[in-house]
Amino acid sequence: MALRLLRGKDDRLTAYALVAGGVARWTEDRPAGPEWTGPWLIEAPGLVSLTVAQSTEGYAHLVGLRRRPGGTGEPARVDIVHAIQFQTGRPLTAWHSLGTPHPKDPRKAERTSAPAMAVDSSGALRVFVRNAGGGVSARRQDPKGTWERWTDWKGTDVLGGLSAAATADGRLELLAPAGKGAALRWYQPKPGAAPKRGEDVPADARPDSAAVVETSPGTLTHYWRDADSGELLAWRPGAPAPAPLGGSTGTGPVAAVRAVVDGHDCTVLAHQDAGRLAVAAHPSEDEAAGVWWTPSGEQGAHNPALALDGQGRVVLAALGMDGRLLVARQKTDEGGLALRAWNRVGSG
């Protein structure tokens, strides 16, 4: 399952989780909580992956990979689907199929990866997948809502687990873990520019472990888990080598958010480690200062997500073993990154 946490234009947080039958959604009753409403099921039969991105208008774009059974002896029916939530707590649009880069070959379409996406400075939404040839394909929705055709961005040996984001000024970056000890990277040199292929990143990344967050104005830091050691690594453009973050006993991608801790600009991290969550914070873009992981939450909590609430406090959310949403909020009356007691929301 995947969990995503977004703050809407009205400063209320919404949590989205992939569940059987579609997407579960929980919404803060008021900015900064603590009460939530949910879960509300957004039906999407066959949905097997979920990613969520936010536009400058505050719209939540939901995109996922849908896989439905084919006929006897036929391949599964696979496509990418998209829906929009225009306001916090409101219903979504109907799911719209974006197809795949292989509309005439169902067996190739089966090899399409889970998508990543980001919204650039023009308001255009781009959806990225690994295609059947092991490269990257993208489909763009222009600012007026019209979808263009799938385009081939090339690349080879892509493993899946693509990670995309845009800076606050809307400059997009895409990281695609690949074989041969490298990750492929595309970026916009400036807001509104045509994306271009950058130099490969020195990364031997585990599939589905990549994540990205803006750690200073205009700079995105990419994270992944080393294929051999399992350690989390961080890298940003201009860095000579990836920076180690520890966490080698953990699994899956790290959640990250930029926040103020004790008056300092920090990056807060969370991941699943040894059957529970672990949390850390360090000065933004100064991983060399040291990263110390602290266990948090109940045994079995998984799929952490991080965001800032309407008061600028760090909110850590996760899913419990029973499927219920777990939420912990930053204390403001203690030093360091102290979290209040975990709150269990709704029913699973």
Side-chain angles (χ1 to χ4, degrees), residues 238-269:
L245 301 174
S248 60
T249 57
T251 58
V254 68
V257 69
R258 187 179 172 203
V260 175
V261 179
D262 285 345
H264 300 287
D265 181 351
C266 291
T267 299
V268 179
L269 306 170

mmCIF file of all heavy atoms in Angstrom, residues 238-269:
data_model
loop_
_atom_site.group_PDB
_atom_site.id
_atom_site.type_symbol
_atom_site.label_atom_id
_atom_site.label_comp_id
_atom_site.label_asym_id
_atom_site.label_seq_id
_atom_site.Cartn_x
_atom_site.Cartn_y
_atom_site.Cartn_z
ATOM 1 N N GLY A 238 25.130 18.627 -8.234
ATOM 2 C CA GLY A 238 26.344 19.293 -7.770
ATOM 3 C C GLY A 238 27.090 18.533 -6.700
ATOM 4 O O GLY A 238 28.259 18.831 -6.424
ATOM 5 N N ALA A 239 26.446 17.558 -6.076
ATOM 6 C CA ALA A 239 27.115 16.765 -5.040
ATOM 7 C C ALA A 239 28.097 15.797 -5.693
ATOM 8 O O ALA A 239 27.770 15.159 -6.693
ATOM 9 C CB ALA A 239 26.093 16.003 -4.214
ATOM 10 N N PRO A 240 29.296 15.641 -5.146
ATOM 11 C CA PRO A 240 30.277 14.737 -5.756
ATOM 12 C C PRO A 240 29.897 13.277 -5.630
ATOM 13 O O PRO A 240 30.292 12.452 -6.460
ATOM 14 C CB PRO A 240 31.563 15.041 -4.981
ATOM 15 C CG PRO A 240 31.081 15.607 -3.670
ATOM 16 C CD PRO A 240 29.829 16.358 -3.971
ATOM 17 N N ALA A 241 29.154 12.938 -4.573
ATOM 18 C CA ALA A 241 28.768 11.538 -4.349
ATOM 19 C C ALA A 241 27.546 11.520 -3.443
ATOM 20 O O ALA A 241 27.283 12.473 -2.706
ATOM 21 C CB ALA A 241 29.917 10.772 -3.697
ATOM 22 N N PRO A 242 26.794 10.436 -3.465
ATOM 23 C CA PRO A 242 25.656 10.320 -2.552
ATOM 24 C C PRO A 242 26.106 10.333 -1.099
ATOM 25 O O PRO A 242 27.167 9.822 -0.756
ATOM 26 C CB PRO A 242 25.026 8.979 -2.932
ATOM 27 C CG PRO A 242 25.500 8.717 -4.335
ATOM 28 C CD PRO A 242 26.864 9.311 -4.406
ATOM 29 N N ALA A 243 25.278 10.911 -0.214
ATOM 30 C CA ALA A 243 25.592 10.989 1.212
ATOM 31 C C ALA A 243 24.866 9.871 1.956
ATOM 32 O O ALA A 243 23.664 9.674 1.761
ATOM 33 C CB ALA A 243 25.155 12.342 1.774
ATOM 34 N N PRO A 244 25.570 9.131 2.811
ATOM 35 C CA PRO A 244 24.928 8.038 3.557
ATOM 36 C C PRO A 244 24.065 8.567 4.701
ATOM 37 O O PRO A 244 24.419 9.526 5.382
ATOM 38 C CB PRO A 244 26.124 7.247 4.086
ATOM 39 C CG PRO A 244 27.234 8.250 4.192
ATOM 40 C CD PRO A 244 27.024 9.218 3.080
ATOM 41 N N LEU A 245 22.922 7.901 4.919
ATOM 42 C CA LEU A 245 21.987 8.300 5.966
ATOM 43 C C LEU A 245 21.725 7.188 6.968
ATOM 44 O O LEU A 245 20.894 7.363 7.869
ATOM 45 C CB LEU A 245 20.648 8.725 5.342
ATOM 46 C CG LEU A 245 20.654 9.877 4.350
ATOM 47 C CD1 LEU A 245 19.275 10.043 3.736
ATOM 48 C CD2 LEU A 245 21.087 11.167 5.034
ATOM 49 N N GLY A 246 22.394 6.048 6.826
ATOM 50 C CA GLY A 246 22.115 4.934 7.721
ATOM 51 C C GLY A 246 20.811 4.248 7.342
ATOM 52 O O GLY A 246 20.376 4.283 6.202
ATOM 53 N N GLY A 247 20.178 3.629 8.331
ATOM 54 C CA GLY A 247 18.884 3.000 8.093
ATOM 55 C C GLY A 247 18.946 1.734 7.270
ATOM 56 O O GLY A 247 17.980 1.399 6.580
ATOM 57 N N SER A 248 20.055 0.991 7.350
ATOM 58 C CA SER A 248 20.234 -0.164 6.465
ATOM 59 C C SER A 248 19.302 -1.322 6.780
ATOM 60 O O SER A 248 19.124 -2.214 5.952
ATOM 61 C CB SER A 248 21.687 -0.650 6.519
ATOM 62 O OG SER A 248 22.034 -1.042 7.838
ATOM 63 N N THR A 249 18.707 -1.334 7.970
ATOM 64 C CA THR A 249 17.773 -2.410 8.305
ATOM 65 C C THR A 249 16.351 -2.080 7.883
ATOM 66 O O THR A 249 15.436 -2.876 8.118
ATOM 67 C CB THR A 249 17.793 -2.708 9.817
ATOM 68 O OG1 THR A 249 17.494 -1.508 10.542
ATOM 69 C CG2 THR A 249 19.160 -3.214 10.245
ATOM 70 N N GLY A 250 16.159 -0.930 7.253
ATOM 71 C CA GLY A 250 14.821 -0.515 6.845
ATOM 72 C C GLY A 250 14.420 -1.052 5.490
ATOM 73 O O GLY A 250 15.196 -1.698 4.783
ATOM 74 N N THR A 251 13.166 -0.775 5.131
ATOM 75 C CA THR A 251 12.630 -1.203 3.854
ATOM 76 C C THR A 251 11.849 -0.062 3.221
ATOM 77 O O THR A 251 11.339 0.831 3.906
ATOM 78 C CB THR A 251 11.690 -2.410 4.016
ATOM 79 O OG1 THR A 251 10.632 -2.059 4.921
ATOM 80 C CG2 THR A 251 12.435 -3.615 4.558
ATOM 81 N N GLY A 252 11.757 -0.088 1.889
ATOM 82 C CA GLY A 252 10.946 0.883 1.170
ATOM 83 C C GLY A 252 11.570 2.260 1.113
ATOM 84 O O GLY A 252 12.683 2.498 1.602
ATOM 85 N N PRO A 253 10.864 3.215 0.516
ATOM 86 C CA PRO A 253 11.393 4.574 0.381
ATOM 87 C C PRO A 253 11.306 5.343 1.695
ATOM 88 O O PRO A 253 10.584 4.953 2.623
ATOM 89 C CB PRO A 253 10.470 5.197 -0.672
ATOM 90 C CG PRO A 253 9.175 4.471 -0.505
ATOM 91 C CD PRO A 253 9.558 3.057 -0.136
ATOM 92 N N VAL A 254 12.047 6.425 1.770
ATOM 93 C CA VAL A 254 11.990 7.318 2.919
ATOM 94 C C VAL A 254 10.983 8.425 2.621
ATOM 95 O O VAL A 254 10.821 8.853 1.478
ATOM 96 C CB VAL A 254 13.386 7.918 3.221
ATOM 97 C CG1 VAL A 254 13.828 8.871 2.132
ATOM 98 C CG2 VAL A 254 13.413 8.605 4.584
ATOM 99 N N ALA A 255 10.250 8.864 3.650
ATOM 100 C CA ALA A 255 9.415 10.056 3.545
ATOM 101 C C ALA A 255 10.242 11.242 4.024
ATOM 102 O O ALA A 255 11.044 11.107 4.957
ATOM 103 C CB ALA A 255 8.160 9.905 4.396
ATOM 104 N N ALA A 256 10.077 12.397 3.396
ATOM 105 C CA ALA A 256 10.904 13.558 3.741
ATOM 106 C C ALA A 256 10.089 14.834 3.630
ATOM 107 O O ALA A 256 9.211 14.962 2.777
ATOM 108 C CB ALA A 256 12.119 13.638 2.810
ATOM 109 N N VAL A 257 10.398 15.795 4.509
ATOM 110 C CA VAL A 257 9.772 17.115 4.448
ATOM 111 C C VAL A 257 10.742 18.125 5.040
ATOM 112 O O VAL A 257 11.488 17.825 5.981
ATOM 113 C CB VAL A 257 8.421 17.135 5.204
ATOM 114 C CG1 VAL A 257 8.613 17.012 6.712
ATOM 115 C CG2 VAL A 257 7.625 18.389 4.874
ATOM 116 N N ARG A 258 10.769 19.305 4.466
ATOM 117 C CA ARG A 258 11.586 20.399 4.989
ATOM 118 C C ARG A 258 10.787 21.133 6.057
ATOM 119 O O ARG A 258 9.615 21.477 5.850
ATOM 120 C CB ARG A 258 11.965 21.332 3.852
ATOM 121 C CG ARG A 258 12.951 22.422 4.216
ATOM 122 C CD ARG A 258 13.254 23.263 2.993
ATOM 123 N NE ARG A 258 14.045 24.437 3.314
ATOM 124 C CZ ARG A 258 14.088 25.526 2.564
ATOM 125 N NH1 ARG A 258 13.378 25.576 1.430
ATOM 126 N NH2 ARG A 258 14.834 26.560 2.909
ATOM 127 N N ALA A 259 11.406 21.371 7.225
ATOM 128 C CA ALA A 259 10.672 21.951 8.346
ATOM 129 C C ALA A 259 11.619 22.746 9.240
ATOM 130 O O ALA A 259 12.850 22.615 9.152
ATOM 131 C CB ALA A 259 10.006 20.848 9.155
ATOM 132 N N VAL A 260 11.049 23.553 10.111
ATOM 133 C CA VAL A 260 11.821 24.298 11.113
ATOM 134 C C VAL A 260 11.816 23.497 12.404
ATOM 135 O O VAL A 260 10.756 23.172 12.952
ATOM 136 C CB VAL A 260 11.226 25.696 11.344
ATOM 137 C CG1 VAL A 260 11.971 26.404 12.474
ATOM 138 C CG2 VAL A 260 11.293 26.518 10.067
ATOM 139 N N VAL A 261 13.009 23.162 12.887
ATOM 140 C CA VAL A 261 13.172 22.447 14.146
ATOM 141 C C VAL A 261 14.119 23.257 15.025
ATOM 142 O O VAL A 261 15.264 23.501 14.646
ATOM 143 C CB VAL A 261 13.730 21.025 13.916
ATOM 144 C CG1 VAL A 261 13.924 20.311 15.250
ATOM 145 C CG2 VAL A 261 12.805 20.226 13.011
ATOM 146 N N ASP A 262 13.626 23.687 16.177
ATOM 147 C CA ASP A 262 14.416 24.535 17.090
ATOM 148 C C ASP A 262 14.954 25.779 16.382
ATOM 149 O O ASP A 262 16.090 26.215 16.634
ATOM 150 C CB ASP A 262 15.590 23.748 17.687
ATOM 151 C CG ASP A 262 15.145 22.763 18.757
ATOM 152 O OD1 ASP A 262 13.999 22.883 19.232
ATOM 153 O OD2 ASP A 262 15.940 21.875 19.114
ATOM 154 N N GLY A 263 14.170 26.320 15.476
ATOM 155 C CA GLY A 263 14.574 27.526 14.769
ATOM 156 C C GLY A 263 15.518 27.301 13.619
ATOM 157 O O GLY A 263 15.956 28.265 12.979
ATOM 158 N N HIS A 264 15.832 26.031 13.314
ATOM 159 C CA HIS A 264 16.776 25.713 12.247
ATOM 160 C C HIS A 264 16.057 25.088 11.053
ATOM 161 O O HIS A 264 15.095 24.332 11.216
ATOM 162 C CB HIS A 264 17.850 24.756 12.760
ATOM 163 C CG HIS A 264 18.658 25.301 13.904
ATOM 164 N ND1 HIS A 264 19.605 26.280 13.743
ATOM 165 C CD2 HIS A 264 18.644 24.995 15.230
ATOM 166 C CE1 HIS A 264 20.154 26.564 14.907
ATOM 167 N NE2 HIS A 264 19.585 25.797 15.830
ATOM 168 N N ASP A 265 16.551 25.390 9.867
ATOM 169 C CA ASP A 265 16.031 24.802 8.637
ATOM 170 C C ASP A 265 16.522 23.355 8.571
ATOM 171 O O ASP A 265 17.721 23.106 8.431
ATOM 172 C CB ASP A 265 16.539 25.613 7.443
ATOM 173 C CG ASP A 265 16.021 25.100 6.108
ATOM 174 O OD1 ASP A 265 15.400 24.026 6.069
ATOM 175 O OD2 ASP A 265 16.251 25.783 5.092
ATOM 176 N N CYS A 266 15.594 22.401 8.680
ATOM 177 C CA CYS A 266 15.967 20.992 8.728
ATOM 178 C C CYS A 266 15.176 20.184 7.714
ATOM 179 O O CYS A 266 14.142 20.625 7.213
ATOM 180 C CB CYS A 266 15.700 20.422 10.133
ATOM 181 S SG CYS A 266 16.799 21.063 11.412
ATOM 182 N N THR A 267 15.689 19.020 7.414
ATOM 183 C CA THR A 267 14.955 18.022 6.659
ATOM 184 C C THR A 267 14.604 16.896 7.612
ATOM 185 O O THR A 267 15.482 16.338 8.274
ATOM 186 C CB THR A 267 15.789 17.483 5.484
ATOM 187 O OG1 THR A 267 16.108 18.559 4.601
ATOM 188 C CG2 THR A 267 15.006 16.424 4.718
ATOM 189 N N VAL A 268 13.321 16.592 7.690
ATOM 190 C CA VAL A 268 12.822 15.518 8.554
ATOM 191 C C VAL A 268 12.588 14.285 7.690
ATOM 192 O O VAL A 268 12.027 14.377 6.591
ATOM 193 C CB VAL A 268 11.526 15.945 9.259
ATOM 194 C CG1 VAL A 268 10.995 14.814 10.140
ATOM 195 C CG2 VAL A 268 11.762 17.205 10.100
ATOM 196 N N LEU A 269 13.029 13.134 8.196
ATOM 197 C CA LEU A 269 12.950 11.876 7.458
ATOM 198 C C LEU A 269 12.213 10.837 8.288
ATOM 199 O O LEU A 269 12.290 10.845 9.521
ATOM 200 C CB LEU A 269 14.356 11.352 7.140
ATOM 201 C CG LEU A 269 15.317 12.302 6.419
ATOM 202 C CD1 LEU A 269 16.723 11.706 6.412
ATOM 203 C CD2 LEU A 269 14.843 12.585 5.008
#
